[in-house]
Amino acid sequence: MGGISDNVRGLALAISSSVFIGSSFIIKKKGLQKAGANGSRASDGGHAYLLEPCWWAGMITMIVGEGANFAAYAYAPAILVTPLGALSIIFSAVLAHFILDERLHIFGVVGCILCLVGSTTIVLHAPVEKKIESVKEVWSLATEPGFVIYTCAILILVLVLIFRYVPRYGQTHMVVYIGICSLMGSLTVMFVKAVGIALKLSFSGSNQFKYFETWFFTFFVILCCLVQLNYLNKALDTYNTAVVSPVYYVMFTSLTILASMIMFKSSFVALSSSTKQRTWELPQLYHPRYFCQADSQVPGRSRFETLTVISRTMVIFIVNKRTF
Protein backbone atom coordinates (compact mmCIF):
# COMPACT_ATOMS: atom_id res chain seq x y z
CA MET A 1 0.00 0.00 0.00
CA GLY A 2 3.06 2.22 0.34
CA GLY A 3 3.04 3.09 -3.35
CA ILE A 4 -0.63 4.05 -3.46
CA SER A 5 -1.31 7.78 -3.41
CA ASP A 6 -3.84 9.37 -1.06
CA ASN A 7 -6.08 10.31 -4.00
CA VAL A 8 -6.28 6.66 -5.13
CA ARG A 9 -7.17 5.54 -1.60
CA GLY A 10 -9.81 8.23 -1.39
CA LEU A 11 -11.15 7.18 -4.80
CA ALA A 12 -11.48 3.51 -3.75
CA LEU A 13 -13.19 4.44 -0.48
CA ALA A 14 -15.60 6.79 -2.26
CA ILE A 15 -16.62 4.11 -4.79
CA SER A 16 -17.26 1.50 -2.07
CA SER A 17 -19.18 4.14 -0.14
CA SER A 18 -21.49 4.73 -3.12
CA VAL A 19 -22.40 1.04 -3.29
CA PHE A 20 -23.39 0.93 0.37
CA ILE A 21 -25.23 4.26 0.33
CA GLY A 22 -27.10 3.40 -2.86
CA SER A 23 -28.27 0.13 -1.28
CA SER A 24 -29.25 1.87 1.97
CA PHE A 25 -31.79 4.08 0.16
CA ILE A 26 -33.67 0.99 -0.97
CA ILE A 27 -33.50 -0.89 2.33
CA LYS A 28 -34.60 2.18 4.30
CA LYS A 29 -37.46 2.79 1.87
CA LYS A 30 -38.69 -0.78 2.43
CA GLY A 31 -38.53 -0.17 6.17
CA LEU A 32 -40.43 3.10 5.85
CA GLN A 33 -43.12 1.37 3.79
CA LYS A 34 -43.55 -1.38 6.40
CA ALA A 35 -43.61 1.14 9.25
CA GLY A 36 -46.16 3.29 7.41
CA ALA A 37 -48.45 0.32 6.97
CA ASN A 38 -48.48 -0.35 10.72
CA GLY A 39 -48.28 3.15 12.17
CA SER A 40 -47.80 6.84 11.40
CA ARG A 41 -45.68 7.64 8.36
CA ALA A 42 -42.38 9.54 8.56
CA SER A 43 -43.78 12.12 6.13
CA ASP A 44 -46.52 12.87 8.69
CA GLY A 45 -43.99 13.38 11.47
CA GLY A 46 -44.23 9.85 12.85
CA HIS A 47 -41.28 7.79 14.04
CA ALA A 48 -42.72 4.28 13.85
CA TYR A 49 -39.84 3.37 11.54
CA LEU A 50 -37.54 3.36 14.58
CA LEU A 51 -39.17 0.07 15.59
CA GLU A 52 -38.75 -1.47 12.14
CA PRO A 53 -35.72 -3.86 11.78
CA CYS A 54 -35.59 -3.31 8.01
CA TRP A 55 -35.12 0.42 8.49
CA TRP A 56 -32.30 -0.22 10.95
CA ALA A 57 -30.66 -2.59 8.44
CA GLY A 58 -30.73 0.25 5.93
CA MET A 59 -29.41 2.63 8.54
CA ILE A 60 -26.48 0.35 9.34
CA THR A 61 -25.73 0.01 5.62
CA MET A 62 -25.75 3.79 5.31
CA ILE A 63 -23.44 4.16 8.33
CA VAL A 64 -20.96 1.76 6.74
CA GLY A 65 -21.15 3.73 3.49
CA GLU A 66 -20.80 7.06 5.24
CA GLY A 67 -17.87 5.64 7.21
CA ALA A 68 -16.09 4.83 3.96
CA ASN A 69 -17.05 8.25 2.64
CA PHE A 70 -15.78 9.84 5.87
CA ALA A 71 -12.42 8.11 5.41
CA ALA A 72 -12.29 9.16 1.75
CA TYR A 73 -12.46 12.85 2.73
CA ALA A 74 -9.38 12.37 4.92
CA TYR A 75 -7.37 11.24 1.89
CA ALA A 76 -8.76 13.11 -1.10
CA PRO A 77 -10.17 16.59 -1.85
CA ALA A 78 -13.90 17.07 -1.30
CA ILE A 79 -14.25 18.25 -4.89
CA LEU A 80 -12.99 14.81 -5.98
CA VAL A 81 -14.88 12.62 -3.50
CA THR A 82 -18.34 14.19 -3.62
CA PRO A 83 -19.02 13.84 -7.38
CA LEU A 84 -18.39 10.09 -7.12
CA GLY A 85 -21.72 9.88 -5.35
CA ALA A 86 -23.15 9.59 -8.87
CA LEU A 87 -22.48 5.87 -8.59
CA SER A 88 -24.95 5.61 -5.71
CA ILE A 89 -27.62 7.11 -7.99
CA ILE A 90 -27.12 4.41 -10.60
CA PHE A 91 -27.08 1.69 -7.97
CA SER A 92 -30.19 2.88 -6.12
CA ALA A 93 -32.12 3.53 -9.35
CA VAL A 94 -31.50 -0.01 -10.61
CA LEU A 95 -32.38 -1.59 -7.25
CA ALA A 96 -35.53 0.56 -6.95
CA HIS A 97 -36.64 -0.67 -10.37
CA PHE A 98 -36.33 -4.35 -9.40
CA ILE A 99 -37.04 -4.32 -5.64
CA LEU A 100 -39.48 -1.44 -5.09
CA ASP A 101 -41.21 -1.71 -8.48
CA GLU A 102 -40.52 1.98 -9.05
CA ARG A 103 -40.22 2.09 -12.81
CA LEU A 104 -37.39 4.27 -14.08
CA HIS A 105 -38.63 5.90 -17.30
CA ILE A 106 -36.36 7.00 -20.10
CA PHE A 107 -35.93 10.52 -18.76
CA GLY A 108 -34.80 9.12 -15.42
CA VAL A 109 -32.19 7.02 -17.23
CA VAL A 110 -30.98 10.06 -19.16
CA GLY A 111 -30.81 12.09 -15.94
CA CYS A 112 -28.69 9.45 -14.20
CA ILE A 113 -26.34 9.23 -17.17
CA LEU A 114 -25.93 13.01 -17.24
CA CYS A 115 -25.06 12.97 -13.52
CA LEU A 116 -22.44 10.30 -14.13
CA VAL A 117 -20.90 12.13 -17.11
CA GLY A 118 -20.82 15.44 -15.26
CA SER A 119 -19.22 13.84 -12.21
CA THR A 120 -16.56 12.13 -14.31
CA THR A 121 -15.69 15.50 -15.83
CA ILE A 122 -15.25 17.10 -12.41
CA VAL A 123 -13.13 14.19 -11.19
CA LEU A 124 -10.85 14.52 -14.23
CA HIS A 125 -10.42 18.23 -13.46
CA ALA A 126 -10.04 17.81 -9.67
CA PRO A 127 -7.44 20.17 -8.20
CA VAL A 128 -4.43 19.26 -6.11
CA GLU A 129 -5.27 19.89 -2.46
CA LYS A 130 -2.90 21.69 -0.14
CA LYS A 131 -1.55 19.38 2.56
CA ILE A 132 -3.11 20.20 5.93
CA GLU A 133 -1.01 19.45 9.00
CA SER A 134 -3.47 20.07 11.85
CA VAL A 135 -7.07 20.81 12.76
CA LYS A 136 -5.93 24.31 13.66
CA GLU A 137 -5.36 24.96 9.96
CA VAL A 138 -8.89 23.82 9.11
CA TRP A 139 -10.25 26.03 11.90
CA SER A 140 -8.36 28.98 10.43
CA LEU A 141 -9.96 28.34 7.04
CA ALA A 142 -13.43 27.84 8.56
CA THR A 143 -13.29 31.14 10.47
CA GLU A 144 -12.34 33.29 7.50
CA PRO A 145 -15.03 35.89 6.62
CA GLY A 146 -16.03 34.23 3.34
CA PHE A 147 -16.86 30.86 4.85
CA VAL A 148 -18.46 32.39 7.96
CA ILE A 149 -20.83 34.36 5.71
CA TYR A 150 -21.57 31.21 3.70
CA THR A 151 -22.30 29.22 6.89
CA CYS A 152 -24.62 31.89 8.27
CA ALA A 153 -26.48 32.12 4.95
CA ILE A 154 -26.94 28.34 4.85
CA LEU A 155 -28.25 28.19 8.43
CA ILE A 156 -30.71 31.01 7.79
CA LEU A 157 -31.99 29.33 4.61
CA VAL A 158 -32.41 26.02 6.43
CA LEU A 159 -34.38 27.63 9.27
CA VAL A 160 -36.64 29.42 6.76
CA LEU A 161 -37.26 26.16 4.90
CA ILE A 162 -37.99 24.22 8.11
CA PHE A 163 -40.35 26.69 9.76
CA ARG A 164 -42.00 28.34 6.77
CA TYR A 165 -41.93 26.04 3.76
CA VAL A 166 -41.96 22.50 5.19
CA PRO A 167 -45.47 22.85 6.72
CA ARG A 168 -46.86 24.36 3.51
CA TYR A 169 -45.03 22.64 0.65
CA GLY A 170 -43.16 19.66 2.09
CA GLN A 171 -45.76 17.14 0.89
CA THR A 172 -46.05 18.59 -2.62
CA HIS A 173 -42.59 19.97 -3.48
CA MET A 174 -39.69 17.57 -3.06
CA VAL A 175 -37.13 20.37 -3.38
CA VAL A 176 -38.07 21.59 0.13
CA TYR A 177 -36.92 18.40 1.90
CA ILE A 178 -33.98 17.85 -0.44
CA GLY A 179 -32.96 21.49 -0.12
CA ILE A 180 -32.63 21.16 3.65
CA CYS A 181 -30.58 17.97 3.30
CA SER A 182 -28.32 19.46 0.64
CA LEU A 183 -27.71 22.77 2.38
CA MET A 184 -26.80 21.08 5.66
CA GLY A 185 -24.85 18.46 3.73
CA SER A 186 -22.51 21.05 2.22
CA LEU A 187 -21.53 22.16 5.73
CA THR A 188 -21.32 18.56 6.95
CA VAL A 189 -18.76 17.67 4.29
CA MET A 190 -16.51 20.58 5.22
CA PHE A 191 -16.51 19.64 8.89
CA VAL A 192 -16.28 15.91 8.19
CA LYS A 193 -13.11 16.79 6.32
CA ALA A 194 -11.77 18.38 9.52
CA VAL A 195 -12.72 15.41 11.73
CA GLY A 196 -11.27 12.98 9.18
CA ILE A 197 -7.99 14.86 9.17
CA ALA A 198 -8.00 14.88 12.99
CA LEU A 199 -8.41 11.09 13.09
CA LYS A 200 -5.80 10.55 10.39
CA LEU A 201 -3.23 12.70 12.20
CA SER A 202 -4.11 11.24 15.62
CA PHE A 203 -3.56 7.69 14.37
CA SER A 204 -0.19 8.76 12.96
CA GLY A 205 0.92 10.00 16.39
CA SER A 206 -0.16 13.65 16.44
CA ASN A 207 -3.14 13.83 18.82
CA GLN A 208 -5.68 16.35 17.52
CA PHE A 209 -8.41 15.63 20.07
CA LYS A 210 -6.68 17.78 22.65
CA TYR A 211 -7.93 20.80 20.73
CA PHE A 212 -11.33 22.40 21.31
CA GLU A 213 -11.73 22.85 17.56
CA THR A 214 -11.81 19.09 16.93
CA TRP A 215 -14.71 18.60 19.35
CA PHE A 216 -16.56 21.57 17.87
CA PHE A 217 -16.30 20.07 14.39
CA THR A 218 -17.42 16.67 15.73
CA PHE A 219 -20.49 18.14 17.46
CA PHE A 220 -21.45 20.10 14.33
CA VAL A 221 -21.12 17.00 12.14
CA ILE A 222 -23.43 15.01 14.44
CA LEU A 223 -26.00 17.83 14.52
CA CYS A 224 -26.00 18.25 10.73
CA CYS A 225 -26.28 14.50 10.19
CA LEU A 226 -29.34 14.27 12.45
CA VAL A 227 -31.09 17.08 10.56
CA GLN A 228 -30.25 15.50 7.19
CA LEU A 229 -31.42 12.06 8.35
CA ASN A 230 -34.79 13.38 9.52
CA TYR A 231 -35.64 15.20 6.29
CA LEU A 232 -34.17 12.53 4.02
CA ASN A 233 -36.54 10.02 5.67
CA LYS A 234 -39.44 12.37 4.96
CA ALA A 235 -38.38 12.71 1.32
CA LEU A 236 -37.97 8.95 0.85
CA ASP A 237 -41.34 8.26 2.47
CA THR A 238 -43.14 10.81 0.30
CA TYR A 239 -41.49 10.61 -3.12
CA ASN A 240 -40.14 8.06 -5.57
CA THR A 241 -36.65 6.84 -4.61
CA ALA A 242 -35.47 7.01 -8.23
CA VAL A 243 -36.33 10.72 -8.18
CA VAL A 244 -35.08 11.60 -4.70
CA SER A 245 -31.63 10.09 -5.21
CA PRO A 246 -30.50 12.02 -8.33
CA VAL A 247 -32.02 15.34 -7.27
CA TYR A 248 -30.43 15.06 -3.83
CA TYR A 249 -27.12 14.19 -5.45
CA VAL A 250 -27.17 17.14 -7.86
CA MET A 251 -28.04 19.74 -5.22
CA PHE A 252 -25.69 18.26 -2.62
CA THR A 253 -22.76 18.03 -5.05
CA SER A 254 -23.21 21.54 -6.40
CA LEU A 255 -23.38 23.09 -2.92
CA THR A 256 -20.43 21.02 -1.69
CA ILE A 257 -18.26 22.18 -4.59
CA LEU A 258 -19.22 25.78 -3.82
CA ALA A 259 -18.47 25.35 -0.10
CA SER A 260 -15.16 23.63 -0.89
CA MET A 261 -14.10 26.48 -3.18
CA ILE A 262 -14.93 29.05 -0.50
CA MET A 263 -13.31 27.24 2.43
CA PHE A 264 -10.31 25.58 0.79
CA LYS A 265 -9.59 28.32 -1.75
CA SER A 266 -5.89 28.16 -0.91
CA SER A 267 -5.83 24.59 -2.26
CA PHE A 268 -6.03 25.96 -5.79
CA VAL A 269 -2.75 27.86 -5.53
CA ALA A 270 -0.67 24.98 -6.87
CA LEU A 271 -2.68 24.63 -10.08
CA SER A 272 -1.50 25.80 -13.46
CA SER A 273 -2.95 29.04 -14.73
CA SER A 274 -5.24 27.32 -17.24
CA THR A 275 -6.63 24.94 -14.62
CA LYS A 276 -7.11 27.77 -12.15
CA GLN A 277 -9.02 29.70 -14.77
CA ARG A 278 -11.34 26.75 -15.32
CA THR A 279 -11.75 26.05 -11.59
CA TRP A 280 -12.64 29.60 -10.64
CA GLU A 281 -14.98 29.80 -13.64
CA LEU A 282 -17.25 27.13 -12.10
CA PRO A 283 -19.59 29.60 -10.32
CA GLN A 284 -19.95 31.53 -13.58
CA LEU A 285 -21.08 28.39 -15.39
CA TYR A 286 -24.42 28.55 -13.59
CA HIS A 287 -25.20 32.01 -14.96
CA PRO A 288 -27.84 31.97 -17.75
CA ARG A 289 -25.41 33.93 -19.94
CA TYR A 290 -23.24 30.84 -20.07
CA PHE A 291 -25.84 28.85 -21.97
CA CYS A 292 -26.62 31.64 -24.41
CA GLN A 293 -23.11 32.12 -25.77
CA ALA A 294 -21.16 29.84 -28.03
CA ASP A 295 -18.09 28.06 -26.62
CA SER A 296 -15.77 30.19 -28.72
CA GLN A 297 -17.10 33.39 -27.15
CA VAL A 298 -15.82 32.69 -23.64
CA PRO A 299 -12.07 32.11 -23.31
CA GLY A 300 -11.00 29.01 -21.37
CA ARG A 301 -14.32 27.23 -21.59
CA SER A 302 -14.29 23.62 -22.73
CA ARG A 303 -17.16 21.52 -24.02
CA PHE A 304 -16.61 19.16 -21.10
CA GLU A 305 -17.33 21.99 -18.67
CA THR A 306 -20.49 22.86 -20.59
CA LEU A 307 -21.61 19.25 -20.33
CA THR A 308 -20.87 19.22 -16.60
CA VAL A 309 -23.16 22.15 -15.86
CA ILE A 310 -25.86 21.07 -18.29
CA SER A 311 -25.92 17.66 -16.64
CA ARG A 312 -26.46 19.16 -13.21
CA THR A 313 -29.09 21.62 -14.39
CA MET A 314 -31.07 19.35 -16.69
CA VAL A 315 -31.32 16.38 -14.37
CA ILE A 316 -33.37 18.35 -11.85
CA PHE A 317 -36.04 18.98 -14.48
CA ILE A 318 -35.61 15.83 -16.55
CA VAL A 319 -36.11 13.21 -13.85
CA ASN A 320 -39.57 14.29 -12.75
CA LYS A 321 -40.64 17.87 -13.37
CA ARG A 322 -43.96 17.42 -11.62
CA THR A 323 -42.41 17.09 -8.15
CA PHE A 324 -41.30 20.68 -8.25
Side-chain angles (χ1 to χ4, degrees):
M1 295 290 289
I4 300 178
S5 69
D6 282 353
N7 270 11
V8 173
R9 292 176 182 174
L11 187 69
L13 287 166
I15 292 173
S16 63
S17 166
S18 295
V19 174
F20 282 105
I21 292 176
S23 303
S24 73
F25 276 102
I26 308 305
I27 301 172
K28 286 171 65 179
K29 179 67 178 252
K30 290 290 288 185
L32 289 169
Q33 288 177 340
K34 291 181 179 179
N38 300 321
S40 58
R41 298 179 58 187
S43 57
D44 297 327
H47 296 88
Y49 58 85
L50 294 175
L51 302 176
E52 180 56 51
C54 186
W55 183 86
W56 280 107
M59 189 64 193
I60 292 171
T61 305
M62 175 169 277
I63 290 173
V64 173
E66 293 295 350
N69 202 39
F70 179 88
Y73 282 114
Y75 288 102
I79 202 171
L80 171 63
V81 175
T82 303
L84 290 171
L87 298 178
S88 67
I89 293 178
I90 309 301
F91 207 71
S92 63
V94 172
L95 290 179
H97 179 80
F98 291 104
I99 297 177
L100 300 178
D101 294 326
E102 295 181 352
R103 297 196 60 80
L104 188 64
H105 49 70
I106 185 62
F107 293 116
V109 174
V110 172
C112 289
I113 292 174
L114 287 173
C115 279
L116 187 58
V117 172
S119 297
T120 302
T121 305
I122 285 188
V123 170
L124 292 175
H125 290 80
V128 177
E129 189 174 51
K130 184 183 75 173
K131 190 174 181 62
I132 296 177
E133 301 294 341
S134 72
V135 173
K136 290 282 189 181
E137 290 186 41
V138 183
W139 179 262
S140 176
L141 293 170
T143 52
E144 288 188 358
F147 191 73
V148 170
I149 292 173
Y150 175 80
T151 302
C152 292
I154 291 297
L155 294 177
I156 291 172
L157 280 172
V158 168
L159 290 175
V160 170
L161 285 172
I162 290 175
F163 293 107
R164 181 174 178 81
Y165 289 98
V166 166
R168 299 181 181 182
Y169 307 110
Q171 297 294 313
T172 56
H173 294 74
M174 180 179 59
V175 73
V176 176
Y177 289 149
I178 300 302
I180 294 171
C181 294
S182 302
L183 289 166
M184 293 301 286
S186 69
L187 295 180
T188 305
V189 167
M190 297 302 102
F191 297 130
V192 159
K193 179 76 174 175
V195 178
I197 290 172
L199 288 171
K200 180 182 175 182
L201 294 174
S202 296
F203 287 140
S204 64
S206 176
N207 183 19
Q208 299 295 304
F209 285 88
K210 61 184 179 182
Y211 301 124
F212 157 78
E213 291 85 350
T214 303
W215 294 104
F216 175 85
F217 287 137
T218 303
F219 170 77
F220 205 95
V221 166
I222 294 172
L223 178 64
C224 289
C225 286
L226 290 175
V227 173
Q228 288 176 255
L229 180 62
N230 181 50
Y231 288 98
L232 182 58
N233 280 331
K234 290 178 181 291
L236 286 173
D237 192 44
T238 308
Y239 304 102
N240 190 310
T241 307
V243 178
V244 171
S245 183
V247 174
Y248 179 34
Y249 165 75
V250 169
M251 295 182 67
F252 173 67
T253 301
S254 300
L255 288 167
T256 298
I257 290 174
L258 176 61
S260 184
M261 291 174 63
I262 293 173
M263 182 172 177
F264 294 104
K265 58 183 178 296
S266 57
S267 63
F268 293 92
V269 172
L271 299 179
S272 65
S273 58
S274 62
T275 307
K276 279 195 293 185
Q277 181 181 4
R278 279 192 237 164
T279 302
W280 285 108
E281 193 183 350
L282 273 172
Q284 301 173 23
L285 302 185
Y286 288 87
H287 196 284
R289 170 174 61 85
Y290 185 93
F291 298 101
C292 300
Q293 297 175 332
D295 286 340
S296 59
Q297 291 178 288
V298 180
R301 178 192 302 166
S302 70
R303 293 183 184 277
F304 285 115
E305 288 167 336
T306 306
L307 183 59
T308 300
V309 180
I310 290 176
S311 70
R312 277 162 172 68
T313 305
M314 286 181 63
V315 71
I316 297 179
F317 301 99
I318 277 181
V319 177
N320 195 330
K321 186 171 68 176
R322 290 171 299 175
T323 59
F324 293 85

